[in-house]
Amino acid sequence: MSAQEQSIVQNDFQTLSLNTPAGHKISLRLFAADRPRSVVIIAGAMGIAQRYYEKFARYLCSQGVTAITFDYFGMGASLETHLRECDTSVIEWATEDCNSVIGFAREHYPELRLQWIGHSVGGQLLGMTPRVNELDNIVTMACGSGYWLKNSPPTKRVAWLLWYVLAPISVPLCGYFPGVRLKMVGDLPANVMRQWRRWCLNPEYAVGAEGTVIRNQFAAVTVPITSVAFTDDEMMSRHNVESLHSFYSNAPVTLTRIAPQDIDEQHIGHLGWFRERYRESIWAGQLLPLLS
C-alpha cells in the first residue's frame, strides 16, 4: 500500500506526496467535495501534467464529486531529479503509480463509488494496473492504440520521423527524450520513450509488443468502460480506438464517438476536452451523466 508522506493545502486543493512500493514519489492533488457522492481519479495523457486538468477537477468538485489528479513518475510535479536519472517505464506507471493512486482512494474513501477518467495513455494503463477491478466505472477520453500506421492522417504524416529518426537518435544522445525542444509530446524518461516506441511500431500496440502476460491482464479487466472519442482527433483514428478497447475483451465496453458539430463546437481534437471552454458542451453535457 502506498504511503502518504506529505500534505500541503493550496487554494482549494490539497497536494500530497505518495510513495509507491518501488520507492518512487508521485505528486497527487486532492479536490475534496463537501459530502461527496463519488470519487473520480483523472489520469492524464502522455506528456500532459496534472495541472492542465485542474479546472476540470474543480468543476467535478463543484458538482459533488471528489477529484484526484496525479503526475506519473518522471513527469510534472513527480519529477525531482533530472530526467536522465529517472528510471521508470510505461508499465511501471501502471503497476506502481496508477495502482498506488487507486489504493490511496480506496483507503480514504472506502464507501464511495470510485471512478476513473483516463485521457489517452491514462486509459491504456488500466490494462496493466493490478487493482483496476477495484474501480466501479471507467471513462476513457481520446484513448486508443498508438500504432502509427493507423494514426489519424495529421499524426501519421510525422510519426515515421518520430519513431524512426528522432527517438532513436535523441534518447541515447540526451539520456531522455527532449520532446519540449523537438516540439513533440513533451520531455519523457528514456525507458518510457523506448517502451512506447516499441508499442507504437506494433500493430497490436502494447499487447502485441509485450506478449501473453499483458494480453491476459487486459482480458482480466471486468469494469464497465465507456470510450469517448472525437471525430476530429488528430492523433487517434477510429481504428486506434476500437483496437485498444478490443483488448478489454471481458469488460462491458461502450464506444461513443462525438463530432464537434454534434455539440455545437468548431473543434475538439485530442487535447481539447479538458479546457474550460468545453464546460457546458463536454463536461456537463457528456461526462457528468457518465459519472452519475
Side-chain angles (χ1 to χ4, degrees):
M1 178 62 206
S2 304
Q4 178 182 336
E5 288 192 338
Q6 183 181 358
S7 174
I8 301 172
V9 177
Q10 180 178 354
N11 298 325
D12 54 352
F13 61 84
Q14 190 177 12
T15 299
L16 305 168
S17 183
L18 211 61
N19 271 351
T20 72
H24 296 164
K25 186 181 293 186
I26 59 173
S27 174
L28 176 153
R29 290 179 175 179
L30 177 65
F31 299 78
D34 294 331
R35 295 186 295 278
R37 53 188 171 84
S38 67
V39 177
V40 173
I41 298 169
I42 303 167
M46 184 79 73
I48 305 297
Q50 65 176 318
R51 66 180 182 273
Y52 290 103
Y53 302 92
E54 186 174 312
K55 291 181 179 178
F56 176 59
R58 284 198 177 102
Y59 169 77
L60 291 181
C61 189
S62 74
Q63 300 301 306
V65 176
T66 287
I68 296 172
T69 65
F70 67 101
D71 284 317
Y72 308 116
F73 183 62
M75 276 181 49
S78 295
L79 178 63
E80 296 185 339
T81 62
H82 196 282
L83 265 179
R84 295 188 189 93
E85 302 170 24
C86 184
D87 183 17
T88 192
S89 66
V90 189
I91 288 181
E92 286 183 329
W93 281 355
T95 59
E96 294 288 322
D97 304 4
C98 294
N99 217 47
S100 294
V101 175
I102 291 174
F104 169 87
R106 274 299 179 208
E107 178 183 348
H108 289 81
Y109 301 95
E111 304 301 323
L112 292 181
R113 182 173 173 81
L114 181 58
Q115 302 174 100
W116 185 280
I117 294 181
H119 183 198
S120 197
V121 77
Q124 300 167 8
L125 293 172
L126 290 175
M128 297 164 270
T129 300
R131 301 184 69 163
V132 59
N133 285 326
E134 296 182 33
L135 299 169
D136 295 298
N137 183 36
I138 294 168
V139 179
T140 63
M141 303 293 299
C143 174
S145 159
Y147 179 47
W148 79 279
L149 280 176
K150 295 297 183 179
N151 283 150
S152 294
T155 294
K156 184 179 176 180
R157 284 194 289 267
V158 297
W160 68 269
L161 178 64
L162 173 62
W163 299 130
Y164 289 103
V165 180
L166 297 178
I169 292 175
S170 65
V171 171
L173 187 65
C174 301
Y176 67 100
F177 180 67
V180 172
R181 277 185 285 169
L182 295 173
K183 297 182 179 179
M184 284 186 163
V185 187
D187 291 349
L188 296 172
N191 287 338
V192 165
M193 194 59 179
R194 291 189 185 104
Q195 189 170 65
W196 191 35
R197 177 180 181 271
R198 283 197 301 108
W199 294 1
C200 289
L201 295 178
N202 192 293
E204 289 193 300
Y205 196 54
V207 166
E210 302 297 335
T212 303
V213 172
I214 296 299
R215 187 182 299 274
N216 290 342
Q217 287 178 347
F218 270 84
V221 178
T222 58
V223 184
I225 300 172
T226 300
S227 162
V228 179
F230 305 105
T231 60
D232 66 335
D233 189 326
E234 68 280 7
M235 298 179 68
M236 295 295 175
S237 67
R238 179 190 289 270
H239 182 279
N240 287 141
V241 173
E242 293 176 350
S243 175
L244 188 281
H245 289 86
S246 73
F247 302 138
Y248 293 110
S249 55
N250 288 302
V253 176
T254 301
L255 299 176
T256 301
R257 195 164 171 82
I258 300 172
Q261 57 268 28
D262 294 340
I263 53 175
D264 297 321
E265 296 288 354
Q266 296 298 314
H267 174 70
I268 304 170
H270 189 70
L271 298 175
W273 71 269
F274 57 82
R275 305 187 190 283
E276 194 170 24
R277 61 172 290 180
Y278 302 104
R279 179 185 180 99
E280 297 303 322
S281 58
I282 296 179
W283 300 359
Q286 303 294 320
L287 293 181
L288 205 58
L290 296 177
L291 302 176
S292 299

